[in-house]
Amino acid sequence: MTQLKSFAATESRADSEPRWQQRKAAMTRESILQAGIDCLVERGYAGLTTSEVVRRANISRGAMHHHFANRSELVAALIDFVQHRRLEFFLSEYLGSLRDAEPKEAIQLATDLHWQSVLTPEYSAYLELAMAARTDADLAAVLVPATKAFDKEWMDKMEDAFPQWDGRHEALHLASDFAAALHLGLLINRPFLGNPERRSAVRQKLIEVVKQIYADSD
């Protein structure tokens, strides 16, 4: 019996070791990607280097190369990471309150939520990548198809999240595109738009327009 217990304990440790290594690897990878986001936000795309990310993540260069062999692999992973972090934020934090809301209430909650997602470091990092892709063909070759695929995934999730828009596929797309364009403009122009009341008035007008899009789709 003692031998059986000893064997079971040894087997349990053997099973737990790979799981721990997997968790440790996942945590290291996320630490690297988070450091990459911080680097993009604070230094821009030109300042995103593997050595700077290694320093910020407080890891060895060997650990960095284990996950990302070069800067290009890191950038590709960051594109996916920052986009899906925004989607997770949108869904996990607010979806419960949006599901049971009345259509017009859900519209206001959704537009407010979208604005909050635009204010995240992840979106700022994405914006740095998007601006750099205008003049960097290699970056554009990765970012453009990834963003198109993500846009489709985003809309699929929105259609699932907002049954109030059932059968209004085109209207939902229009509302989403309109909100994204306006919030991007507000974010970029925040330093020049004056007081917060002015920005709030613009956002309130967006809510009115989106509600009208919904009403017109009936």
Side-chain angles (χ1 to χ4, degrees), residues 36-41 44-45 48 75 78-86 117-118 120-134 139-140 142-151 180 184 187:
I37 289 174
D38 295 341
C39 197
L40 281 168
V41 172
Y45 183 66
L48 176 66
V75 169
L78 275 169
I79 290 170
D80 182 73
F81 188 70
V82 299
Q83 290 178 330
H84 285 89
R85 267 294 181 87
R86 283 187 65 221
S117 77
V118 166
T120 60
E122 286 79 10
Y123 189 80
S124 293
Y126 169 76
L127 189 56
E128 291 293 337
L129 291 166
M131 294 299 292
R134 292 175 57 251
L139 175 59
V142 178
L143 182 65
V144 172
T147 300
K148 288 181 178 179
F150 176 74
D151 182 64
L184 173 59
L187 180 67

Side-chain angles (χ1 to χ4, degrees), residues 30-103:
E30 182 163 346
S31 177
I32 292 170
L33 292 171
Q34 189 59 57
I37 289 174
D38 295 341
C39 197
L40 281 168
V41 172
E42 296 174 22
R43 297 163 59 98
Y45 183 66
L48 176 66
T49 63
T50 55
S51 58
E52 178 63 16
V53 171
V54 164
R55 184 187 71 80
R56 287 171 180 257
N58 194 28
I59 59 172
S60 68
R61 186 165 292 278
M64 176 72 174
H65 288 163
H66 174 75
H67 291 277
F68 305 106
N70 50 50
R71 185 174 185 261
S72 296
E73 287 190 7
L74 173 63
V75 169
L78 275 169
I79 290 170
D80 182 73
F81 188 70
V82 299
Q83 290 178 330
H84 285 89
R85 267 294 181 87
R86 283 187 65 221
L87 182 58
E88 289 171 8
F89 170 84
F90 192 100
L91 295 176
S92 65
E93 296 297 325
Y94 295 92
L95 189 54
S97 63
L98 293 172
R99 281 192 187 279
D100 299 325
E102 293 297 320

Side-chain angles (χ1 to χ4, degrees), residues 143-188:
L143 182 65
V144 172
T147 300
K148 288 181 178 179
F150 176 74
D151 182 64
K152 182 181 184 307
E153 182 180 357
W154 177 282
M155 290 311 307
D156 288 344
K157 295 293 186 182
M158 294 308 100
E159 289 181 2
D160 290 341
F162 301 108
Q164 300 92 337
W165 290 77
D166 185 42
R168 301 175 174 89
H169 182 82
E170 293 302 321
L172 179 58
H173 270 257
L174 175 60
S176 179
D177 290 346
F178 190 80
L182 187 140
H183 283 159
L184 173 59
L186 275 180
L187 180 67
I188 293 174

Side-chain angles (χ1 to χ4, degrees), residues 21-35:
Q21 291 297 333
Q22 290 170 358
R23 289 197 299 271
K24 183 179 178 181
M27 289 187 293
T28 300
R29 179 183 173 86
E30 182 163 346
S31 177
I32 292 170
L33 292 171
Q34 189 59 57

